[in-house]
Amino acid sequence: MSKRIAIIGSGTAGLQLAYSLRKDFDVTLLHYEEPEETRRGRIQSTQVHFHPTLQRERRFLMPDTNDAPSIQTIHFNVGTQKLFVGRLKGAASSVDQRLAYSTAMDDLRRQGLRFRNGRVSRNELASMAESYDLLIDATGKAGPLVPFPVEAGLTPFQTPQRKCIVGYFKGVSPVEPEGISITVMPGIGEMFEIPAITEQGRVTILFIEAVPDGLLDAFKGIKTPQDFAARMESVLQESFPEIYGRVDLDRFSLVDEVAFLQTAITPIVRRPYLMQSGTLVLGCGDSVILADPITGQGCNTASYCAEQLYETLLAHQESPWDEQVGIDYWNRARPYVTAVTEWTNAMTGPLPEHIGQMLMHAAADQETADRIVHWFEQPSTAHEAFFRR
Ligand SMILES: Cc1cc2nc3c(=O)[nH]c(=O)nc-3n(C[C@H](O)[C@H](O)[C@H](O)COP(=O)(O)OP(=O)(O)OC[C@H]3O[C@@H](n4cnc5c(N)ncnc54)[C@H](O)[C@@H]3O)c2cc1C
């Protein structure tokens, strides 16, 4: 008989796990939002999936959104100075999670995957443990549901390092060649401009990472979409004149009433395995590896770990599922998680001098520009550049 797995949470981690595990195991996906609720809900991310993540999604036959803008480059600016345009090794894309998650859930349901609707509570886990061989906590930043121990060495902060301010807009002409544009404003934060696809068509995501209480932390108390759009317009005019120059003021508006978000994240890494009432519980995604989105890696890390979890379970298909399986999973994922976490945390502080020099050098050297941009596809190369000289 196939081993029984409960995946709790239907986000980036839970969905990729459901696609990968459904052939070899008896999988139930526990979720509390129906696809229609997700589709109509508030945005939660800017969700750039870099090439390795897209490859994993193809490997597990996840739905493709071919009409998403193909992100081939990253433009890098400091203040009003354009430094360079680096080329990614493979195309990336940003598909509105509301669209991607609801499409994948509908697809899995059509394919006969078992779903159970309802928010799983911490109290329920002991009784659930009796019915399954494995519980996977993929509850995102609302989680985790079990007390996975904190990895203190990878968890240096007690408070958020940035305020995250995001809107999906119409009426902004893309940068050329089309890609992501990053503008670093030393001491006050960053702006990320990302071409994306939503149910209503293409949009430009404007994502401010504001140092708390600095000049870009200018959205306090804003509640309505109209006020949000108006404030974004004035921030662009004051601090990002190049973007403002590409705004068509007659068309500039949020793509829908809930296409904006304000949040702040305290990064935290937890050891992603635990025995609960004799049953193994594994964590995957933000429930165990939660990072500030400054490097756009949360989905990519969730996808990487989901693949490692899948490989671990295949390797242990015939043996009992106990703590050793958790140890093997963490041993596989840990080097990547360490690299992405240490790099991401470093990006929220002042950039080291040698990285500043490398960015300046990239302005005159395409190979260096491409190497820097590749950090986002392969975080171990970023870690190497930052820490191993
Ligand atoms: C502003 C911002 C921008 C970002 N930009 C990027 C980016 O460009 N690239 C990138 O890679 N990452 C980005 N991220 C991070 C990325 O969005 C997350 O890392 C990723 O979505 C995590 O996936 P997940 O599956 O762990 O969690 P989620 O996608 O949050 O999914 C969690 C799921 O669990 C469900 N759930 C929660 N609790 C329960 C429960 N008790 N019972 C049942 N179900 C439950 C939820 O409904 C949801 O479906 C960004 C994050 C933020 C905040």
Side-chain angles (χ1 to χ4, degrees), residues 56-270:
R56 284 187 285 272
E57 290 169 359
R58 280 179 208 123
R59 173 183 180 194
F60 298 124
L61 306 177
M62 296 181 71
D64 212 347
T65 304
N66 295 319
D67 42 0
S70 174
I71 297 172
Q72 315 249 5
T73 62
I74 299 184
H75 300 233
F76 205 94
N77 314 279
V78 175
T80 52
Q81 190 191 1
K82 178 137 206 166
L83 284 189
F84 60 83
V85 182
R87 296 166 299 201
L88 290 162
K89 288 211 167 130
S93 71
S94 171
V95 179
D96 186 346
Q97 280 182 345
R98 300 174 297 178
L99 173 62
Y101 290 179
S102 52
T103 304
M105 284 177 77
D106 285 339
D107 181 50
L108 284 168
R109 196 165 265 157
R110 266 194 304 276
Q111 296 189 37
L113 189 88
R114 191 176 315 113
F115 282 83
R116 204 193 91 186
N117 184 231
R119 187 185 289 260
V120 177
S121 72
R122 290 188 167 85
N123 305 336
E124 251 178 287
L125 287 177
S127 65
M128 278 179 65
E130 287 169 17
S131 312
Y132 296 96
D133 299 293
L134 170 68
L135 306 179
I136 302 178
D137 185 327
T139 53
K141 56 184 183 299
L145 292 172
V146 294
F148 295 117
V150 174
E151 288 276 340
L154 292 174
T155 307
F157 303 125
Q158 307 307 316
T159 53
Q161 302 301 294
R162 292 287 188 279
K163 299 264 190 80
C164 309
I165 301 153
V166 186
Y168 290 13
F169 286 96
K170 296 184 288 186
V172 185
S173 319
V175 288
E176 283 176 19
E178 198 170 21
I180 295 169
S181 178
I182 303 176
T183 305
V184 176
M185 304 286 279
I188 58 170
E190 299 78 22
M191 165 69 91
F192 297 83
E193 191 188 335
I194 302 165
I197 190 82
T198 68
E199 202 164 53
Q200 288 87 271
R202 286 181 175 224
V203 293
T204 299
I205 298 179
L206 297 175
F207 169 24
I208 296 172
E209 281 259 300
V211 171
D213 300 324
L215 190 67
L216 295 178
D217 188 5
F219 290 69
K220 287 177 190 163
I222 288 189
K223 298 268 184 278
T224 69
Q226 293 75 16
D227 289 350
F228 186 92
R231 183 61 56 85
M232 185 62 85
E233 188 183 317
S234 62
V235 168
L236 293 181
Q237 192 171 14
E238 278 163 31
S239 300
F240 302 97
E242 191 278 328
I243 303 178
Y244 188 69
R246 287 185 280 109
V247 169
D248 173 352
L249 290 176
D250 293 333
R251 290 180 52 234
F252 187 68
S253 64
L254 290 163
V255 69
D256 61 66
E257 299 272 292
V258 281
F260 69 106
L261 172 73
Q262 294 204 59
T263 187
I265 285 169
T266 303
I268 180 163
V269 175
R270 298 170 201 267

Side-chain angles (χ1 to χ4, degrees), residues 8-14 30-32 44-48 97 101 118-120 138-140 142 145 164 166 207 261 263 265 284-286 293 296-300 302:
I8 310 166
S10 53
T12 309
L30 295 96
H31 65 109
Y32 71 84
Q44 298 295 339
S45 182
T46 66
Q47 72 265 315
V48 177
Q97 280 182 345
Y101 290 179
R119 187 185 289 260
V120 177
T139 53
L145 292 172
C164 309
V166 186
F207 169 24
L261 172 73
T263 187
I265 285 169
C284 192
D286 280 3
Q297 294 298 317
C299 300
N300 297 285

Side-chain angles (χ1 to χ4, degrees), residues 29 32 44 51 102 105 124 144 167 195 197 228 254 297 308-309 314 318 341 347 375 381:
L29 186 57
Y32 71 84
Q44 298 295 339
H51 187 59
S102 52
M105 284 177 77
E124 251 178 287
I197 190 82
F228 186 92
L254 290 163
Q297 294 298 317
Q308 296 310 314
L309 201 164
L314 279 196
E318 304 305 331
T341 302
M347 289 285 283
W375 292 349
T381 63

